[in-house]
């Protein structure tokens, strides 16, 4: 969608509501943040370099060597899986429908489109693959925890640098984002007909439900953490900044 069309739709929505407060600020900020992240991720993936520094590794790139037959950056060999998980996320879908498609952009504001078909048609119906992307994202999360563990090993000994905290924090935030996911919550206990027959799963489901209440928070925190982790490793590899060794 071009900026001109987005502005036209926003103008139509603003004309079709009696609300006078700045309700349009949140949709504008969401589109700007998501757009900025996508632009940076695409740029970082296209570089194909500066994704590793000593025991630090960018979350955008695979740990295995790029196959000789692969013509593009190795980042594209794995980015499709976490991207599919995040872009089919229920919160992301809500954000896109309200902030980009403006259907509707806010409460008591008219839908900018003439008709609403939901996600029953191609290509939006493919978003229902979210639960399968969950499994793929879980595998990649395990790999990220492996890199987080490597980030606290210096010359065969336990230690920590500023990058260690960056790597571990990123793994923690991504774990909170994944485990607060609606599909993960359903996987834990959503299919149970009687919780009293499965008290352990019910207790776990309650814990996941508490995380689920803040799923939108973990979406944004993990979004920024994964981008900042790549940026930190990239700047170290390029020699622009230096890592601070804490112990």
């Amino acid at each position: 969608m071009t900026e001109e069309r987005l502005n036209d739709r926003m103008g139509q929505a603003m004309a079709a509501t009696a609300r006078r407060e700045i309700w349009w600020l949140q949709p504008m900020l969401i589109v700007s943040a998501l757009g900025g992240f996508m632009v940076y991720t695409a740029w970082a993936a296209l570089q194909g370099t500066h994704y590793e520094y000593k025991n630090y590794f960018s979350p955008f790139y695979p740990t295995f060597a790029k196959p000789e037959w692969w013509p593009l950056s190795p980042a594209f060999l794995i980015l499709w899986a976490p991207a599919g998980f995040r872009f089919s996320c229920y919160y992301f879908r809500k954000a896109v429908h309200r902030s980009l498609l403006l259907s509707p952009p806010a409460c008591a504001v008219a839908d900018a489109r003439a008709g609403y078909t939901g996600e029953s048609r191609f290509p939006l119906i493919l978003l229902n693959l979210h639960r399968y992307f969950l499994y793929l994202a879980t595998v990649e999360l395990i790999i990220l925890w492996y890199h987080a563990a490597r980030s606290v090993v210096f010359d065969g000994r336990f230690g920590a640098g500023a990058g260690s905290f960056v790597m571990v924090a990123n793994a923690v935030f991504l774990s909170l984002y994944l485990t607060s996911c609606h599909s993960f919550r359903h996987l834990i206990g959503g299919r149970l007909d009687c919780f009293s027959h499965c008290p352990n799963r019910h207790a776990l489901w309650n814990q996941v439900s508490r995380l689920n209440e803040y799923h939108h928070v973990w979406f944004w925190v993990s979004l920024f953490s994964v981008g900042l982790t790549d940026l930190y490793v990239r700047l170290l590899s390029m020699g622009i900044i230096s890592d601070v060794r804490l112990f």
Side-chain angles (χ1 to χ4, degrees):
M1 181 184 296
T2 64
E3 183 178 355
E4 182 178 355
R5 289 183 61 190
L6 181 60
N7 289 336
D8 289 343
R9 286 190 173 185
M10 187 68 78
Q12 295 172 8
M14 292 177 68
T17 181
R19 295 180 61 174
R20 292 294 177 262
E21 75 276 18
I22 52 174
W23 59 264
W24 47 265
L25 181 61
Q26 183 178 4
M28 183 181 69
L29 291 176
I30 289 176
V31 169
S32 299
L34 291 176
F37 175 79
M38 292 179 188
V39 169
Y40 173 78
T41 301
W43 174 84
L46 288 169
Q47 301 310 300
T49 57
H50 299 299
Y51 54 85
E52 185 175 12
Y53 177 80
K54 296 183 179 179
N55 54 337
Y56 302 151
F57 205 90
S58 167
F60 288 168
Y61 284 79
T63 55
F64 52 84
K66 183 181 77 170
E68 294 183 359
W69 50 265
W70 183 254
L72 304 176
S73 166
F76 293 108
L77 289 169
I78 65 164
L79 274 182
W80 61 273
F85 175 69
R86 191 172 287 270
F87 293 162
S88 62
C89 163
Y90 296 137
Y91 172 76
F92 179 85
R93 288 147 76 171
K94 169 188 171 182
V96 167
H97 276 291
R98 290 189 178 183
S99 302
L100 186 62
L101 301 179
L102 304 178
S103 57
C107 295
V109 180
D111 196 318
R113 296 189 299 173
Y116 177 72
T117 59
E119 298 175 344
S120 60
R121 299 179 181 178
F122 182 85
L124 294 182
I125 195 172
L126 296 178
L127 295 176
N128 292 314
L129 295 173
H130 178 64
R131 68 183 64 180
Y132 302 107
F133 280 115
L134 169 67
Y135 306 141
L136 295 171
T138 301
V139 174
E140 297 214 5
L141 181 61
I142 293 172
I143 297 174
L144 286 179
W145 271 109
Y146 165 73
H147 285 301
R150 286 185 64 241
S151 72
V152 296
V153 178
F154 294 82
D155 300 322
R157 297 182 178 181
F158 177 76
S164 304
F165 283 95
V166 172
M167 298 281 292
V168 172
N170 180 54
V172 169
F173 292 142
L174 286 172
S175 297
L176 289 169
Y177 171 56
L178 187 145
T179 55
S180 66
C181 166
H182 298 73
S183 289
F184 183 82
R185 178 173 176 261
H186 178 76
L187 186 66
I188 295 300
R191 296 181 299 173
L192 296 178
D193 294 326
C194 185
F195 281 131
S196 61
H197 292 167
C198 304
N200 292 332
R201 288 187 64 180
H202 183 214
L204 182 59
W205 181 82
N206 280 331
Q207 295 301 319
V208 173
S209 297
R210 292 188 178 92
L211 284 177
N212 180 254
E213 294 178 12
Y214 300 97
H215 183 59
H216 61 292
V217 175
W218 304 127
F219 174 91
W220 286 109
V221 172
S222 64
L223 187 79
F224 284 107
S225 74
V226 72
L228 290 174
T229 300
D230 175 84
L231 179 62
Y232 186 81
V233 175
R234 186 171 301 278
L235 294 178
L236 287 175
S237 177
M238 296 173 67
I240 297 177
I241 63 175
S242 299
D243 187 49
V244 178
R245 181 68 181 274
L246 302 176
F247 59 88

